[in-house]
Amino acid sequence: MEENRFSLCVDGLEIPAALSAPAGAAAVLLLIPGSMNSDLDGNFAPLFPGQPAAAPHLYRDLAGQLAALNVAVLRFAKNGPGTGCVARDTELAKVRYREFGQRLRVAAAFWEELGRRAPGLQRFAAGHSEGAVVATQLARERSDMAGLALLSGPSLPLLRLMMWQRYEQDRSAGALTPERERQYEEACAWAADYAAGRALAAETGADHPYADMLRFFLQPANISYLRSLEQVDPAAELARTTLPVLIVQGGRDPSVIAANAERLRQARPDAALAEFPQLQHFYKEADDGMPPEASFLLSTTSSPAVAVALAEWMRSGRGATRGDGARSV
């Protein structure tokens, strides 16, 4: 397998990328990274003093595993500290990269680059986590895309997702009360106000069981990006696509819980579904009940079963294999 490393300058930011291309590749996949400051391989440098670095290297693992299955992969970094991205026009990059919509512009630029570097091959797109939302938006714009894979993709905008997942945890634990139900409805109303740009007090959500994260969303440095992200409904975007879709979900994912896969499939009932009950957000084997922080820091090799499911789906265009060996269509 040959890996060609290069960079692409998009709106003032030079972004590292790599094309893993096995000889005689049958198809090629654009792999769109998730949230935070992901480098080319899918690792994360600390964002603040005392925060540990995380090295799940999912994107490097997937590229190598898919190359062994005769699928070429183009992967690239997301902007942020420790990602290898370099500002060539600081003022332009500062303006453009403060909005979530810039992620689609970057993905589109790499999609075009992939067409130049792998002419004649069927092109697929896969987005991981927040990148699944970007991949879905890209799919709506591209008539030359053969299929869309959502890797641990959210079914709700981020703030709503965090609220809903906490609510689901309470429901599963039998901890819901009429007061908790009221608080959840209140939190959802705040999320709607936030997305619409309506005023919220800085202390909104403090010590609230479903909305304490609002304090982070209301920080001035975060509002522009997170509000523009909150305005995108992943399930609604998916429902508007028409090309083949594969949904991949780990059963022990604390970041995007397994119930998201079913919500996404409700938006596209014909989507193929590949479920892996033992895998976490970066498709590593995880113990049942492992704390989210410990799960996030796992650095073992990502399960090759996900690459197998992707390659099978790309070849067939029909169902994908569940992690337990059953067929999902």
Side-chain angles (χ1 to χ4, degrees):
M1 178 196 75
E2 178 184 352
E3 181 169 276
N4 179 22
R5 295 203 169 208
F6 64 99
S7 62
L8 200 62
C9 193
V10 183
D11 292 335
L13 191 70
E14 188 173 301
I15 304 171
L19 177 62
S20 302
V28 64
L29 178 77
L30 178 67
L31 182 55
I32 300 174
S35 62
M36 302 197 309
N37 54 323
S38 170
D39 71 8
L40 178 62
D41 293 333
N43 299 323
F44 306 91
L47 287 173
F48 53 84
Q51 183 188 33
H57 47 76
L58 169 62
Y59 309 145
R60 184 188 70 199
D61 289 352
L62 270 178
Q65 292 160 355
L66 283 167
L69 296 168
N70 214 30
V71 176
V73 177
L74 193 159
R75 68 191 195 274
F76 58 95
K78 182 179 179 291
N79 59 298
T83 64
C85 295
V86 178
R88 298 304 182 192
D89 185 330
T90 303
E91 290 305 313
L92 176 62
K94 184 178 179 181
V95 171
R96 289 290 175 82
Y97 285 83
R98 64 197 299 262
E99 299 285 339
F100 174 71
Q102 180 65 15
R103 297 215 58 195
L104 178 57
R105 289 174 59 87
V106 171
F110 278 104
W111 182 260
E112 294 292 341
E113 184 68 17
L114 183 57
R116 289 189 286 269
R117 290 176 179 262
L121 290 179
Q122 270 196 320
R123 280 182 287 167
F124 296 79
H128 176 244
S129 195
E130 182 184 288
V133 185
V134 183
T136 304
Q137 292 181 314
L138 182 66
R140 292 187 57 207
E141 292 190 351
R142 305 301 315 206
S143 61
D144 54 354
M145 186 181 294
L148 166 68
L150 308 181
L151 310 178
S152 304
S155 61
L156 290 165
L158 180 59
L159 183 57
R160 281 288 313 276
L161 178 76
M162 296 169 73
M163 293 171 175
W164 171 69
Q165 291 190 157
R166 288 189 183 181
Y167 175 83
E168 284 297 301
Q169 290 172 351
D170 284 350
R171 186 183 62 79
S172 297
L176 288 180
T177 63
E179 175 60 11
R180 281 295 175 102
E181 295 280 7
R182 185 199 66 77
Q183 289 172 321
Y184 179 61
E185 292 178 5
E186 178 180 55
C188 290
W190 285 338
D193 287 341
Y194 180 84
R198 292 188 283 269
L200 288 170
E203 66 274 12
T204 302
D207 301 320
H208 193 283
Y210 301 119
D212 61 322
M213 74 288 291
L214 261 171
R215 287 172 291 182
F216 176 78
F217 278 70
L218 287 167
Q219 290 177 11
N222 301 333
I223 285 179
S224 184
Y225 184 90
L226 292 177
R227 178 166 284 150
S228 60
L229 172 59
E230 199 65 20
Q231 292 167 352
V232 180
D233 183 335
E237 292 287 312
L238 181 61
R240 298 185 186 104
T241 63
T242 57
L243 74 174
V245 172
L246 171 67
I247 298 167
V248 177
Q249 180 65 51
R252 293 179 177 169
D253 185 345
S255 301
V256 179
I257 63 173
N260 279 276
E262 185 53 41
R263 290 176 64 97
L264 289 172
R265 212 175 184 207
Q266 289 171 9
R268 275 293 303 270
D270 61 332
L273 176 63
E275 296 173 291
F276 300 91
Q278 313 301 319
L279 302 185
Q280 45 82 287
H281 195 58
F282 302 108
Y283 305 138
K284 303 178 189 305
E285 295 278 351
D287 294 334
D288 190 20
M290 178 178 283
E293 297 80 5
S295 179
F296 187 83
L297 293 174
L298 287 175
S299 59
T300 50
T301 300
S302 301
S303 172
V306 173
V308 170
L310 278 164
E312 287 184 354
W313 169 74
M314 283 187 273
R315 282 195 295 267
S316 69
R318 296 189 298 273
T321 301
R322 288 177 182 258
D324 58 8
R327 178 67 60 177
S328 176
V329 295

